[in-house]
Amino acid sequence: MKQEINALNMEELELALIELNEKKFRAKQIFKWLHEKMVTNFGDMSNLSKSLIDKLDENFYITSMNVLERLESKDQTIKYLFQLHDHHIIETVLMKYKHGYSICISSQVGCRMGCNFCASTIDGLERNLTSGEMLAQIYTIQREKDIKIRNVVVMGSGEPLENLDHLLRFIELINIPEGQNIGQRNITVSTCGLAEQIRKLAKANLQITLAVSLHAPYDDIRQSMMPINRKYSIQTLFDACDYYTQSTNRRITYEYALIRGVNDTDACANELARLLKHRLSHINLIPVNDVIEREYEKSSEVRIQAFAGQLEKKGINVTIRRELGSDINAACGQLRKSYQDKEK
Ligand code: SF4
């Protein structure tokens, strides 16, 4: 069976070349073709011999994906729908900020976490993405638009920490100077709160930003929104987060999607402030997009400002996420879901 060559790190590539009776230094050349120039055909590697190209073709493949749809919003956010080699569909979002391009990539096809406000989970999990497939989302868009992406957010479809091995390999590869050289501090990984996996990630001691989807300060409300809270209560989650902060010395971002009448009350703001008060943290309030399949509505602008104000008054570091792409179904899983419904 052919191996995914763009999931190999330099040492593995060197070993693979030695096994093919080739010189070790070729690994660096091939790595650059794959991760700097982002080619999708061995035939394009113009400084390699024909015989080496044939050997690579016989033993490996380069992950690539087809663009099925692209939707551009008024604010220049572009949502891509990609088709994978096995016909599964994933979403990726490109966002333009003053400081450059950011990309929000998917880590799984679908998701099994069941968060109530999310369209990605409605049809469950299909499979994990490989590290090559995570990279290919970035490379395909960079090639197509001839741009350099500066920030990566692993916050599209899927729970990244359920796919930890591929995620760690992805971070290793995107960080390598011979490739894209994207610094760990420019990478954010989200989780719905898999406490055990947060502890495992802490052991990797990375400089990435961990973004924890909190969304409610009380177990009963959080449980009604996020089934994972049945397995890991807020207390268990915070214990793991504290361990993460102690191990990495990195500030955690807590994501909080404001939903009208559910988690946007004064009592929620006060309890949230109490939970975060002495933690190295930052809270990101998200005006959630309406999900047709769910009954959630986003909080009013006045309510969002009041909620943020209450947190600030108690000394909590808070931002309100700029709403990007709301005219193109940019929230997690919405475009994929509407595409699949159309195809049924
Ligand atoms: S919010 Fe994230 S973890 Fe929750 S169901 Fe959606 S994709 Fe999965």
Side-chain angles (χ1 to χ4, degrees):
M1 210 168 72
K2 288 190 185 185
Q3 212 185 341
E4 186 181 38
I5 193 165
N6 45 332
L8 302 183
N9 64 20
M10 201 71 86
E11 294 73 43
E12 290 164 348
L13 206 46
E14 284 174 357
L15 282 177
L17 283 157
I18 291 166
E19 269 174 37
L20 295 175
N21 288 324
E22 294 284 342
K23 295 272 186 291
K24 206 166 108 170
F25 77 90
R26 295 281 177 209
K28 205 165 177 176
Q29 291 176 323
I30 295 170
F31 194 91
K32 278 178 166 251
W33 281 114
L34 294 169
H35 299 285
E36 184 187 51
K37 303 192 179 84
M38 305 173 293
V39 301
T40 52
N41 286 304
F42 292 115
D44 293 336
M45 300 182 175
S46 54
N47 55 358
L48 305 186
S49 66
K50 170 85 174 65
S51 72
L52 174 52
I53 288 173
D54 289 345
K55 284 187 206 171
L56 292 174
D57 247 335
E58 251 168 61
N59 294 283
F60 298 100
Y61 67 91
I62 306 174
T63 316
S64 62
M65 39 189 67
N66 297 325
V67 179
L68 268 185
E69 257 186 48
R70 312 173 180 81
L71 280 185
E72 184 154 0
S73 95
K74 288 189 231 119
D75 58 30
Q76 298 186 332
T77 297
I78 305 179
K79 181 148 230 178
Y80 287 83
L81 214 49
F82 288 120
Q83 186 163 50
L84 309 179
H85 68 92
D86 55 4
H87 302 292
H88 284 311
I89 295 169
I90 55 165
E91 293 181 2
T92 307
V93 183
L94 178 71
M95 293 152 291
K96 195 174 179 188
Y97 292 98
K98 271 191 240 115
H99 55 266
Y101 284 99
S102 283
I103 191 169
C104 176
I105 64 166
S106 292
S107 56
Q108 294 181 314
V109 182
C111 185
R112 68 187 184 103
M113 292 296 131
C115 304
N116 241 339
F117 46 84
C118 174
S120 291
T121 194
I122 291 169
D123 295 323
L125 173 70
E126 296 288 350
R127 68 170 174 86
N128 283 333
L129 293 185
T130 65
S131 51
E133 287 169 327
M134 291 187 228
L135 292 167
Q137 296 170 61
I138 299 172
Y139 296 177
T140 309
I141 294 176
Q142 287 199 149
R143 268 198 321 268
E144 174 184 290
K145 294 196 65 71
D146 196 18
I147 55 169
K148 170 81 179 122
I149 286 165
R150 308 230 161 263
N151 294 291
V152 179
V153 183
V154 190
M155 208 183 265
S157 299
E159 163 52 57
L161 300 193
E162 259 219 313
N163 190 12
L164 192 57
D165 291 346
H166 287 139
L167 175 78
L168 291 176
R169 177 50 63 93
F170 162 76
I171 293 170
E172 177 188 351
L173 293 173
I174 199 77
N175 191 217
I176 292 180
E178 287 84 356
Q180 291 299 313
N181 199 16
I182 296 182
Q184 288 185 7
R185 285 172 184 257
N186 292 26
I187 300 172
T188 299
V189 172
S190 82
T191 177
C192 67
L194 304 185
E196 283 164 46
Q197 299 298 91
I198 291 174
R199 287 172 184 273
K200 280 193 196 155
L201 182 66
K203 295 204 173 94
N205 203 8
L206 302 175
Q207 290 298 297
I208 58 163
T209 298
L210 180 65
V212 174
S213 300
L214 186 61
H215 302 317
Y218 297 112
D219 279 320
D220 56 343
I221 303 179
R222 191 164 190 268
Q223 214 148 290
S224 73
M225 299 168 72
M226 306 176 74
I228 193 66
N229 200 79
R230 269 182 227 130
K231 187 163 182 200
Y232 304 114
S233 67
I234 291 175
Q235 185 58 54
T236 309
L237 173 59
F238 272 112
D239 288 347
C241 290
D242 290 345
Y243 176 79
Y244 186 88
T245 316
Q246 282 153 17
S247 311
T248 62
N249 208 19
R250 297 285 293 157
R251 181 177 84 164
I252 293 180
T253 295
Y254 292 92
E255 305 285 342
Y256 198 102
L258 284 159
I259 299 169
R260 187 189 293 255
V262 175
N263 63 355
D264 65 351
T265 60
D266 286 348
C268 283
N270 286 333
E271 179 61 6
L272 189 56
R274 192 190 68 76
L275 286 172
L276 297 184
K277 184 80 188 152
H278 299 293
R279 292 191 153 99
L280 189 59
S281 63
H282 163 249
I283 187 132
N284 195 16
L285 300 178
I286 309 162
V288 76
N289 290 10
D290 298 342
V291 177
I292 299 163
E293 294 80 2
R294 310 290 192 201
E295 282 168 7
Y296 290 146
E297 286 172 47
K298 72 176 178 192
S299 304
S300 69
E301 192 49 43
V302 175
R303 192 60 225 143
I304 294 170
Q305 293 300 336
F307 197 92
Q310 244 177 297
L311 293 171
E312 268 168 356
K313 237 190 277 164
K314 302 209 168 190
I316 306 298
N317 211 321
V318 51
T319 47
I320 300 174
R321 191 193 284 174
R322 214 174 109 208
E323 220 176 335
L324 289 176
S326 54
D327 53 332
I328 55 160
N329 277 345
C332 185
Q334 286 181 340
L335 181 62
R336 172 173 174 262
K337 177 87 182 95
S338 57
Y339 183 89
Q340 284 176 330
D341 288 349
K342 219 165 50 192
E343 296 294 292
K344 273 177 192 164

